[in-house]
Amino acid sequence: MSETVGDYLLERLATWGVRRIYGYPGDGINGILGAFTRSSNGQRPEFIQVRHEEMAAFMACAHAKFTGELGVCMATSGPGAIHLLNGLYDAKLDHQPVVAIMGQQARAGLGGNYQQEVDLDSLFKDVAHEYVQVAMEPTQMRHLIDRACRIALAERTVTAIIIPNDVQEAEAVATPPHVHGTVHSGPGYRRPRILPADEDLARAAEVLNAGSKVAMLVGQGALHAGEEVAQVADLLGAGVAKALLGKAVLPDDLPFVTGSIGLLGTRPSWTLMMECDTLLMVGSSFPYSEFLPEEGNARGVQIDIDGKMLGIRYPMEVNLVGDSAETLRALIPHLQRQEDRSWREQIETEVAHWWRLMEDRAQMPGDPINPQLVFHELSKRLPDGAILSSDSGSSANWFARDIKLRAGMMASLSGTLATMGPGVPYAIGAKFAHPNRPVFALVGDGAMQMNGINELITIAKYRDRWPDQRLVVLVLNNRDLNQVTWEQRAMSGDPKFEGSQDLPDFPYARYAEMLGLKGIRVDSPEQVGPAWDEALAADRPVVYEAVTDPEVPPLPPHITVEQAKALSSALLHGDPHAGRIIKQSFRQKVEEFLPGR
Ligand SMILES: Cc1ncc(C[n+]2csc(CCOP(=O)(O)OP(=O)(O)O)c2C)c(N)n1
Ligand SMILES: [Mg+2]
């Protein structure tokens, strides 16, 4: 049999370095699925079967986030393609290179209101607007793949190829004829070195050298620039706050690292931003302006590899387009060492206080378990090289505040889309990419019920191939969509609406056991630490189900007057849990202001 377009597609993707495609089958892609089983020099990616196409897109996104490589996902026409969308938006909004490959009805039927015929070109026009193309005939295939891969990598975005099923089965055309109207593409992409002009570096240095209280804010664009960030912070006597996606830029045990920023952030990050006179933002598009200095209070310098992300969060005096590590390295010779270390010392004192406060908050009682204790005990035990994923929900608060990352660890979540659901699939993507590293998914019960439970089946299916079996899914079983419950209380001033917020219970640990994984259910504080030891020593992936207290408030670093008012209004208007909340919030606040802290 001569080679088909399906065969050619897989081989060309392998040429691009793609080793794994996350997907779900359907007759719309049978012409590609068949090609996975036909060997040709062993040079074809492997098909990883997930439970739902959205999960395939999350895993492709996780692959990109945890490797810096291209992630690829695949779905059948119509419903399969539609399912991909949310995961693709997650990748797009967090600037990850992901290629989506989708089937479509045969060319002869298109436009005929045929079964499963969806106008995918239009549907994907937004999420993959940099490049979405339908393969009209086999000769196109080579340049469609080359361009989809190259554009995804160069623009750090999502691209899509739609392939009608009869095209998949047609004979491949590896080299288009040398005639008018054909396109002759080649594979491969190398990241360029991107540096600002010398005069702009000098201007940036002028602003930074003039500051006496410099604050740095770093995001995922600085993930490869930790050393440079630390060196610049040292020279300038600056403190460093980290946006959520940049949590792994610097270890949390450095004394000048103030940790997360924003609603999920820390008090020292708040002080850093409110009291600084100069802001240096590197590789971040952290959106909440109320957590940044007030306009006019600080002079600003921003570094971003993407010119269109500059100057949108704070009116910066100097905007530098450049790679964060390269740009900081070029900036360093222009920087003068700040001899007055009082600002830096002030920040370090606050950071030390903050960590003691976190310790104390974790030890406060809960009914039955204070979720902070679960994160605190995990944090102490994190093995070297750990990779963490967090879902959206209250877990993101405790991930942001209570987990102390050390050098060499990685961590991510859905930063910009902030969608529920990526916790477990991100962990699976991480495990496939780094099968020798321990991986942790930190997930709420709502997200588990949305899709995490089903992806445990994927873990059970593939776990045998991971040499290091440490993959732990932490489930916060609080029987509540807790993050939103608190948002109702604190932001809208509404009491908890049990009709939308209460969740049914589910036996997460027992279910894991049924799948052949290990299940551990923890419902008292004394069990929390020993259960982590047990999870880390297990010979198979673990579901660690912690029965946690939904009334422990994920308090913002400072409660604003408005939020406090809204909270008391919720309590006055008959929140069903008012009494216990007042007790918990009071405890948390008292801890913050105890003398000597
Ligand atoms: C797809 C999606 N639906 C809804 C939301 C809104 N939302 C954000 S967090 C959250 C609650 C999550 O509940 P759970 O997973 O149980 O975590 P908890 O906050 O209770 O720890 C909801 C509903 C969202 N971000 N994404
Ligand atoms: Mg919950």
Side-chain angles (χ1 to χ4, degrees):
M1 177 181 165
S2 57
E3 196 178 63
T4 67
V5 167
D7 293 304
Y8 180 77
L9 167 74
L10 297 186
E11 277 160 25
R12 194 69 172 182
L13 287 170
T15 309
W16 276 91
V18 176
R19 281 160 292 157
R20 214 169 287 118
I21 299 179
Y22 295 100
Y24 203 81
D27 68 346
I29 48 172
N30 273 348
I32 304 169
L33 297 173
F36 278 99
T37 60
R38 290 192 285 273
S39 66
S40 71
N41 326 324
Q43 286 299 307
R44 293 190 184 194
E46 185 187 9
F47 185 86
I48 305 293
Q49 181 215 58
V50 302
R51 297 317 102 208
H52 183 297
E53 292 84 352
E54 181 182 341
M55 303 301 110
F58 281 141
M59 289 176 208
C61 175
H63 181 83
K65 284 185 167 183
F66 292 125
T67 64
E69 300 168 356
L70 196 62
V72 182
C73 55
M74 185 178 286
T76 190
S77 50
I82 293 167
H83 268 183
L84 285 177
L85 279 172
N86 193 53
L88 292 179
Y89 272 104
D90 178 44
K92 177 190 179 68
L93 269 58
D94 279 354
H95 307 286
Q96 298 304 318
V98 169
V99 176
I101 295 163
M102 290 162 281
Q104 179 58 292
Q105 290 310 328
R107 286 169 294 179
L110 287 178
N113 206 10
Y114 203 75
Q115 188 190 31
Q116 293 192 332
E117 184 189 347
V118 169
D119 181 358
L120 296 178
D121 203 8
S122 301
L123 185 65
F124 281 74
K125 210 70 202 175
D126 182 46
V127 73
H129 72 85
E130 278 90 350
Y131 198 71
V132 47
Q133 288 292 329
V134 184
M136 303 304 295
E137 74 121 324
T139 318
Q140 275 181 290
M141 213 55 235
R142 186 174 80 177
H143 71 263
L144 294 191
I145 302 165
D146 289 345
R147 296 211 70 209
C149 293
R150 184 173 290 110
I151 292 170
L153 287 163
E155 305 285 325
R156 292 177 313 281
T157 195
V158 172
T159 58
I161 311 174
I162 300 156
I163 315 176
N165 57 33
D166 61 320
V167 175
Q168 297 163 22
E169 281 163 4
E171 195 173 324
V173 179
T175 309
H178 191 223
V179 296
H180 184 70
T182 54
V183 173
H184 297 264
S185 67
Y189 178 78
R190 301 285 301 164
R191 290 208 182 280
R193 185 174 183 198
I194 302 179
L195 264 178
D198 286 339
E199 67 205 70
D200 295 324
L201 287 168
R203 280 204 307 133
E206 241 174 75
V207 172
L208 296 170
N209 288 332
S212 56
K213 294 175 162 193
V214 182
M216 292 179 70
L217 170 57
V218 299
Q220 68 166 343
L223 280 172
H224 63 297
E227 263 176 48
E228 290 81 359
V229 168
Q231 211 181 329
V232 168
D234 186 51
L235 279 169
L236 298 173
V240 185
K242 303 185 290 186
L244 267 185
L245 287 172
K247 187 168 165 77
V249 172
L250 285 179
D252 285 299
D253 46 18
L254 293 176
F256 58 91
V257 171
T258 63
S260 310
I261 182 172
L263 279 169
L264 279 53
T266 71
R267 204 181 162 87
S269 292
W270 172 258
T271 309
L272 183 70
M273 291 298 148
M274 293 308 122
E275 295 185 16
C276 72
D277 61 15
T278 310
L279 172 64
L280 170 56
M281 204 160 147
V282 186
S284 174
S285 65
F286 171 74
Y288 300 153
S289 56
E290 71 273 32
F291 289 90
L292 296 176
E294 197 174 331
E295 269 193 46
N297 281 0
R299 301 177 72 187
V301 174
Q302 187 178 357
I303 301 170
D304 204 289
I305 197 149
D306 185 346
K308 65 180 179 290
M309 301 308 290
L310 286 166
I312 49 176
R313 303 303 182 216
Y314 187 84
M316 300 288 176
E317 215 167 303
V318 184
N319 285 301
L320 301 175
V321 178
D323 169 81
S324 54
E326 297 272 2
T327 305
L328 291 173
R329 270 203 293 274
L331 197 56
I332 285 168
H334 299 273
L335 298 179
Q336 292 152 10
R337 188 179 156 80
Q338 171 62 261
E339 293 307 335
D340 177 0
R341 307 306 279 185
S342 55
W343 166 245
R344 170 92 154 205
E345 284 157 14
Q346 178 195 335
I347 294 301
E348 292 189 359
T349 306
E350 280 217 26
V351 168
H353 170 193
W354 174 260
W355 283 116
R356 285 198 298 275
L357 175 67
M358 285 299 95
E359 169 99 39
D360 292 345
R361 280 193 186 172
Q363 301 308 329
M364 280 184 286
D367 181 15
I369 296 175
N370 172 356
Q372 291 159 114
L373 179 68
V374 181
F375 283 71
H376 185 74
E377 292 298 322
L378 167 62
S379 184
K380 289 195 285 197
R381 290 171 171 80
L382 278 176
D384 287 342
I387 305 177
L388 293 89
S389 69
S390 170
D391 219 285
S392 303
S394 73
S395 64
N397 290 266
W398 319 128
F399 161 75
R401 297 205 191 105
D402 294 78
I403 295 284
K404 264 190 166 173
L405 289 185
R406 302 193 308 274
M409 296 181 176
M410 292 196 274
S412 201
L413 40 53
S414 173
T416 317
L417 187 61
T419 179
M420 282 171 72
V424 179
Y426 268 27
I428 296 173
K431 200 68 189 173
F432 270 110
H434 302 284
N436 289 303
R437 293 177 67 162
V439 176
F440 299 82
L442 315 171
V443 186
D445 46 359
M448 275 314 272
Q449 292 180 16
M450 191 174 265
N451 57 35
I453 291 171
N454 287 344
E455 283 316 311
L456 293 178
I457 302 169
T458 306
I459 294 175
K461 174 176 158 86
Y462 287 106
R463 75 175 185 88
D464 285 345
R465 61 172 66 199
W466 300 325
D468 183 326
Q469 284 284 300
R470 289 174 297 178
L471 167 54
V472 187
V473 177
L474 165 67
V475 185
L476 295 183
N477 180 355
N478 55 19
R479 287 119 13 248
D480 185 31
L481 295 167
N482 197 238
Q483 181 68 20
V484 172
T485 301
W486 280 103
E487 286 163 0
Q488 287 175 353
R489 286 166 175 154
M491 287 171 159
S492 315
D494 293 328
K496 175 177 178 176
F497 171 37
E498 291 181 313
S500 70
Q501 299 312 109
D502 278 352
L503 285 178
D505 201 358
F506 182 88
Y508 306 94
R510 256 198 295 148
Y511 182 74
E513 292 275 341
M514 281 167 56
L515 293 174
L517 309 178
K518 186 173 177 67
I520 304 175
R521 187 172 188 276
V522 178
D523 58 8
S524 76
E526 317 76 67
Q527 293 172 297
V528 170
W532 275 122
D533 293 331
E534 195 187 340
L536 285 165
D539 64 352
R540 61 193 64 200
V542 175
V543 169
Y544 182 123
E545 175 186 351
V547 183
T548 52
D549 189 346
E551 311 310 344
V552 175
L555 283 177
H558 67 296
I559 290 196
T560 62
V561 178
E562 287 73 30
Q563 284 166 333
K565 273 196 213 145
L567 184 60
S568 45
S569 142
L571 300 181
L572 286 176
H573 291 91
D575 190 288
H577 304 278
R580 296 225 6 264
I581 293 163
I582 291 173
K583 218 161 81 192
Q584 278 291 356
S585 307
F586 183 71
R587 276 194 194 132
Q588 303 257 339
K589 267 291 167 203
V590 167
E591 280 300 316
E592 202 163 325
F593 293 114
L594 277 182
R597 303 238 166 252

